[in-house]
Amino acid sequence: RVALLLRFEEAHASAANALLKTLEEPAPKVLMLLTAESVESLLPTIVSRCEVLRLRPLPVEQISQALITRWGLLPERANLLAHLSDGRPGVAVQYHLQPDLLEQRQAWLEELALLLPASRVERFAWAEKWAKDFEKKSRTKEELRNQLLTWLSLWRDVFLISSQASVSITNLDWQPQVSAIANILSLDQAHRVVSCIEQTLEVLSKNINTRLALEVLMLDIPHLRVP
């Protein structure tokens, strides 16, 4: 049997400590896989009982070529999905097999574009609706997390262009909008937005009030009118 525990860095210390005995003396024929962003984000007692496997992203060109040769994608499409995957071949294939995921991503980015020039009242109304949908269980915290991660990828692209980095951006299909935002904001402002979204993701993982966390984020995202 295989047990997969995702994003274990989000586990409460008491939950992590409760797993120590199991990790030290696992049952026969049981394999436990714990995923985390980094070794440093886990308790040392957890790390000492595990074998660390570092999973590094593949080059974009390698994923793109695989999508062309093994899945029959056109080069332009393969290049886009390879960039969106951030070096994760499984994600690229998932985008190909489930087009609705790309449609959802597009909707989330369009929602961000609408919020940029929106008033504070309109932004707070968005946060309130999200919180109410979450309370009604019509939307999940995992969905919110994925939406914020999508926004984060775009703002990281803004940061890359602002810093004139030689690294290619992730959201190739949104390059005109990304470049327009980068021309308006300074490097420090772009970095601040990236940090704010990362902080929001962190507090949401700790069961902080959803509406409050989103309202703070809405205050931190700059008011922009993108050409």
Side-chain angles (χ1 to χ4, degrees):
R1 295 185 178 183
V2 177
L4 181 60
L5 287 75
L6 301 176
R7 301 195 301 274
F8 202 71
E9 74 276 6
E10 298 178 5
H12 192 275
S14 59
N17 287 326
L19 196 64
L20 292 178
K21 186 66 174 177
T22 304
L23 290 174
E24 191 168 358
E25 299 178 4
K29 298 182 179 180
V30 170
L31 180 64
M32 300 188 67
L33 301 176
L34 281 61
T35 70
E37 289 188 354
S38 66
V39 170
E40 293 74 22
S41 63
L42 298 174
L43 293 177
T45 49
I46 292 290
V47 177
S48 65
R49 288 165 170 79
C50 298
E51 179 182 354
V52 178
L53 301 174
R54 300 185 183 275
L55 305 179
R56 306 195 183 279
L58 290 177
V60 170
E61 296 77 12
Q62 188 173 343
I63 295 178
S64 179
Q65 188 58 44
L67 291 172
I68 294 172
T69 56
R70 296 187 61 180
W71 296 92
L73 271 67
L74 294 175
E76 184 177 354
R77 180 72 168 178
N79 187 46
L80 172 61
L81 298 189
H83 277 82
L84 292 180
S85 72
D86 282 331
R88 298 166 294 174
V91 173
V93 173
Q94 192 176 33
Y95 275 139
H96 169 56
L97 297 178
Q98 302 180 45
D100 57 305
L101 295 179
L102 287 176
E103 293 175 3
Q104 179 62 82
R105 165 188 166 271
Q106 180 71 13
W108 285 336
L109 292 177
E110 289 175 354
E111 193 168 34
L112 173 61
L114 290 175
L115 285 171
L116 288 179
S119 66
R120 183 176 298 179
V121 173
E122 291 170 321
R123 290 185 175 195
F124 277 18
W126 174 86
E128 181 183 12
K129 184 179 185 306
W130 229 116
K132 287 183 176 179
D133 288 346
F134 177 67
E135 291 174 1
K136 296 176 183 176
K137 297 184 178 180
S138 60
R139 302 176 82 178
T140 65
K141 187 163 287 188
E142 183 66 16
E143 184 180 352
L144 176 58
R145 180 178 181 275
N146 289 333
Q147 180 170 359
L148 293 181
L149 286 173
T150 300
W151 288 7
L152 182 60
S153 72
L154 185 132
W155 283 104
R156 282 176 174 165
D157 287 345
V158 173
F159 178 75
L160 287 175
I161 292 180
S162 297
S163 62
Q164 298 181 346
S166 57
V167 181
S168 177
I169 66 173
T170 297
N171 299 280
L172 293 181
D173 52 339
W174 278 70
Q175 184 160 2
Q177 295 91 331
V178 170
S179 298
I181 295 174
N183 288 333
I184 297 173
L185 297 182
S186 67
L187 180 61
D188 288 342
Q189 289 174 313
H191 181 265
R192 174 174 169 74
V193 179
V194 169
S195 298
C196 289
I197 298 178
E198 289 176 338
Q199 290 170 8
T200 303
L201 286 165
E202 182 179 355
V203 298
L204 287 174
S205 69
K206 299 178 180 178
N207 293 321
I208 300 298
N209 182 282
T210 303
R211 179 176 175 178
L212 178 60
L214 293 179
E215 285 179 348
V216 172
L217 177 62
M218 290 297 99
L219 291 174
D220 290 331
I221 291 179
H223 184 272
L224 297 173
R225 295 194 177 276
V226 182

